[in-house]
Amino acid sequence: MTGINRIVILTGAGISAESGIDTFRSAGGLWEQHRVEDVATPEGFARDPDLVLGFYDIRREALAKVEPNPAHRALARLEAEFAGELLLVTQNVDDLHERGGSSRVLHMHGELKSALCLACDMRSAWDAPMAHHPPCPVCRSPSLRPDVVWFGEMPYQMERIYTALTATDLFVSIGTSGAVYPAAGFVQEARMAGAHTLELNLEPSEGSHFFTESRHGPAGRLVPEWVDELLGG
Ligand code: BJW
């Protein structure tokens, strides 16, 4: 592909599905196992913190047992070999992009392996359970919550993302249902700025019609194929 100097990539749960991490909205996915209002809202956390901390403890533990797949690795190869500017934005709270070799990942919905202290507002790297209310490493208050973005909260680094979207030549959305805003609106921002927009997803997403090009299939195949094509084999 010629004339591509800036790329913004958005990834969602589908990119980690072949690594063995549950998506949210697929049959049998996380939102069929749990009520979203209970485990992914500040109100749910206020009502029953132990339920929410336990939900994230289980997911953090599961993360230690899975590995990045060819889609994560292909994006790391793109970061290493693409001569232009690349911004990789993920909605995922897992660390499979980093373990797959990407070194610059923007986690707009936070990270499972980070804790946010409600007492001192500090973030700490975190790889242990939280359900027993351990003390914050900074202020010692037992006030930690997972450093993730729930419904009704502001996703991280939105200004940086919108700035990149308005200047990008190519926007690629990988493995996301397009059901959650503001991420679901990125394609329209990029299109308005004149970018080519490409969807790589198992099936047409809710916002499929907004993309100039869509390819459907598993990310573990589609992403390496697209990266090969972009880098010229
Ligand atoms: C494969 C595959 C394979 C499978 N290969 N593909 C009414 C209208 C518009 C907006 C709103 C509204 N009412 C409320 C809102 C706002 C709300 C929202 O969007 N609600 C919607 C439900 C309507 N959004 C918010 O509250 C956000 N904050 C906000 O808007 O702040 C104000 C603001 C305004 C303007 C600018 C900026 C801010 C916050 C949203 C937080 C979302 N949090 C979660 C939980 C994070 C922590 C955790 O992980 O537990 O984020 S919810 C969950 O959904 C998680 C995900 O990141 C997110 C998206 O899910 P994703 O990744 O798309 O997964 P799935 O399962 O939906 O889809 C997977 C896809 O992969 C599918 O298409 C499969 O086909 C595909 N797939 N296998 C390729 N092998």
Side-chain angles (χ1 to χ4, degrees):
M1 222 179 268
T2 52
I4 302 288
N5 297 313
R6 294 190 180 101
I7 305 176
V8 176
I9 297 175
L10 171 71
T11 66
I15 197 168
S16 297
E18 289 156 77
S19 293
I21 297 189
D22 285 341
T23 62
F24 294 92
R25 294 169 185 81
S26 314
L30 286 171
W31 294 162
E32 274 190 7
Q33 303 165 40
H34 307 270
R35 274 165 38 98
V36 56
E37 303 82 358
D38 290 341
V39 296
T41 62
E43 295 79 14
F45 183 62
R47 254 192 326 269
D48 192 345
D50 290 348
L51 174 81
V52 177
L53 294 173
F55 171 69
Y56 285 95
D57 281 354
I58 290 169
R59 288 175 59 197
R60 197 179 305 101
E61 218 177 287
L63 184 54
K65 298 183 186 124
V66 301
E67 296 295 331
N69 67 54
H72 298 104
R73 291 201 194 89
L75 294 185
R77 177 178 167 229
L78 185 65
E79 180 189 285
E81 297 182 22
F82 179 61
E85 277 176 39
L86 174 72
L87 179 65
L88 174 56
V89 179
T90 188
Q91 297 169 88
N92 299 342
V93 296
D94 66 53
D95 62 351
L96 293 179
H97 281 304
E98 287 87 349
R99 285 201 265 144
S102 290
S103 61
R104 297 187 306 271
V105 186
L106 192 163
H107 284 269
M108 65 175 288
H109 290 165
E111 294 178 68
L112 265 179
K113 289 165 81 170
S114 174
L116 177 62
C117 178
L118 293 169
C120 72
D121 227 21
M122 295 299 284
R123 298 194 153 80
S124 304
W126 196 264
D127 204 7
M130 265 184 212
H132 60 294
H133 303 276
C136 165
V138 181
C139 73
R140 312 310 296 169
S141 170
S143 309
L144 296 178
R145 61 162 271 186
D147 184 12
V148 301
V149 177
W150 290 320
F151 285 105
E153 297 183 322
M154 183 65 85
Y156 296 151
Q157 300 198 50
M158 291 308 301
E159 209 176 304
R160 181 161 166 225
I161 297 171
Y162 281 123
T163 301
L165 286 170
T166 52
T168 197
D169 303 310
L170 174 63
F171 171 74
V172 187
S173 170
I174 303 171
T176 175
S177 60
V180 175
Y181 287 84
F186 290 174
V187 55
Q188 292 167 80
E189 290 289 330
R191 247 190 118 153
M192 275 191 301
H196 183 77
T197 54
L198 168 65
E199 168 174 83
L200 304 176
N201 205 53
L202 193 60
E203 60 204 353
S205 70
E206 287 187 23
S208 216
H209 54 285
F210 291 122
F211 289 84
T212 38
E213 185 186 350
S214 290
R215 300 181 189 178
H216 301 131
R221 174 173 61 80
L222 290 188
V223 180
E225 278 175 8
W226 168 70
V227 169
D228 278 352
E229 192 182 303
L230 189 88
L231 294 175

